[in-house]
Each structure stands twice: as structure tokens, then as C-alpha cells.
Amino acid sequence: MADDSTTTIRATFETREAADLAVEHLVQQHGISRPDIFVQSAGDRNTAGSAPSGGDATHEEGARRDAPLAGEIEVSVDIASSQVAAVQRSLGDAGALGLSSR
């Protein structure tokens, strides 16, 4: 009998850029559909991460100060239990600060 149980993986990232890279890893390396991946603030405040990145970091006058840098970004996805190790590795490679599963 095949194990068709699912596991929810949650990963936190310092920047939106790192979270976006993680989503690309999930889609391209693991064939996970984008609607099955959720990206949100890890806390209760709207945030673009806890550090400037992307266009915020490369602004002509230095890092922009108007971005909402109020905490980490969380990426979560429900996957087959057989994919847990590979997905955790990919999220770690993308810069995950923390990983959890349930």
C-alpha cells in the first residue's frame, strides 16, 4: 500500500527575494504548482522581510528606508511525505532561516 499522506513544510526567510527564490525552487525542481505554495508574513504585521533586498537594496542613494521591514517572510507548502527531505534541502539552499513540518 502506497503512503499518500501529506506534510506541511514551513520555512522562514529574511528577505522577500529569498522567499521568491524558494518558490522558484519548489516549482522548477519539485514540480509543485504555484497555487499550492503560500507566501505570507511570518508575524502579524505586513512586511517585505527583515532586511533590504532586490530593488530596495540597490537604490541609487543606498538601501531604501520606506519598505516595511517588520519581520521574516514565511513560505509554506503541502507536499507528499516522500518529498520532505528533498524539499527541505531546496528551501535550505534558497536561504531558509528556519524549517518546520507537521
Side-chain angles (χ1 to χ4, degrees):
M1 179 178 220
D3 179 10
D4 60 355
S5 61
T6 61
T7 300
T8 300
I9 301 288
R10 295 187 194 306
T12 56
F13 296 89
E14 184 177 35
T15 64
R16 180 61 192 229
E17 181 179 31
D20 287 342
L21 178 62
V23 169
E24 290 306 313
H25 281 226
L26 294 172
V27 170
Q28 294 176 14
Q29 294 175 357
H30 302 285
I32 298 170
S33 178
R34 286 182 195 273
D36 294 331
I37 303 169
F38 303 92
V39 180
Q40 64 185 16
S41 170
D44 60 356
R45 296 183 61 200
N46 185 27
T47 185
S50 56
S53 68
D56 292 336
T58 59
H59 194 266
E60 289 177 4
E61 299 167 12
R64 292 181 56 171
R65 304 281 183 237
D66 60 343
L69 300 177
E72 297 169 350
I73 306 292
E74 178 184 273
V75 174
S76 63
V77 61
D78 293 335
I79 57 169
S81 294
S82 62
Q83 293 180 289
V84 169
V87 167
Q88 287 179 331
R89 253 189 324 278
S90 289
L91 293 171
D93 290 347
L97 299 174
L99 287 166
S100 66
S101 61
R102 62 173 177 96

